Amino acid sequence: MKQIDILIIDDEIKFADMLSRRLSLRDITCRACYDGLSGIQWVKENSGAATLILLDLKLPDMYGTQVLAHIKELDPAVPVYIITGHGTREDEKECLAQGAAEFIHKPVSIEKITTLLTHVRGEVQ
């Protein structure tokens, strides 16, 4: 079974760290970046390393759609799942048009995330 490596880009530090810890208990490697620029920098320096990216839409330094565009330019194959508590229907349409794999509204349960990962695991095996 291929290792799942997740990059979480979310300015809600408690949420990102809690999600990272809970997924790590399932033998999933997680890294968290708390703003858009550091997330883009990580992808730039580690292109191809993330199995998938969980991206918040509302970040302190830039909007998630801008981050998504940079990520897709740097690593077009990586699935990016938008997880947001603030997204509109227009945001969802724009993200999906830019290549986001899915648009998920917060609050999101760990069960939803693990179901998503089960699907991704099936695709990467």
Side-chain angles (χ1 to χ4, degrees):
M1 182 179 303
K2 184 177 177 184
Q3 174 64 40
I4 300 285
D5 295 300
I6 297 177
L7 173 62
I8 302 167
I9 305 172
D10 197 312
D11 65 324
E12 292 182 46
I13 295 171
K14 285 184 180 179
F15 171 77
D17 289 348
M18 181 273 309
L19 183 58
S20 180
R21 279 192 305 274
R22 292 186 76 179
L23 292 174
S24 295
L25 294 172
R26 292 167 169 80
D27 295 324
I28 296 168
T29 303
C30 295
R31 291 160 189 84
C33 294
Y34 308 115
D35 60 60
L37 288 176
S38 62
I40 291 168
Q41 187 63 34
W42 191 91
V43 172
K44 188 175 185 178
E45 294 171 357
N46 301 282
S47 185
T51 308
L52 70 94
I53 296 173
L54 302 175
L55 172 63
D56 189 13
L57 200 56
K58 192 173 181 182
L59 296 165
D61 56 345
M62 54 198 316
Y63 206 59
T65 53
Q66 295 171 297
V67 179
L68 176 61
H70 284 286
I71 289 170
K72 286 299 181 180
E73 190 176 297
L74 294 167
D75 192 354
V78 66
V80 179
Y81 290 79
I82 306 296
I83 298 181
T84 184
H86 303 284
T88 64
R89 192 77 179 133
E90 287 74 31
D91 291 327
E92 182 175 358
K93 286 180 185 176
E94 184 177 347
C95 288
L96 295 175
Q98 286 186 6
E102 193 166 336
F103 194 93
I104 302 165
H105 291 275
K106 290 179 182 174
V108 60
S109 68
I110 192 71
E111 289 78 20
K112 170 80 175 172
I113 299 291
T114 53
T115 298
L116 177 102
L117 295 176
T118 300
H119 176 70
V120 171
R121 247 191 193 132
E123 290 179 354
V124 297
Q125 287 183 4

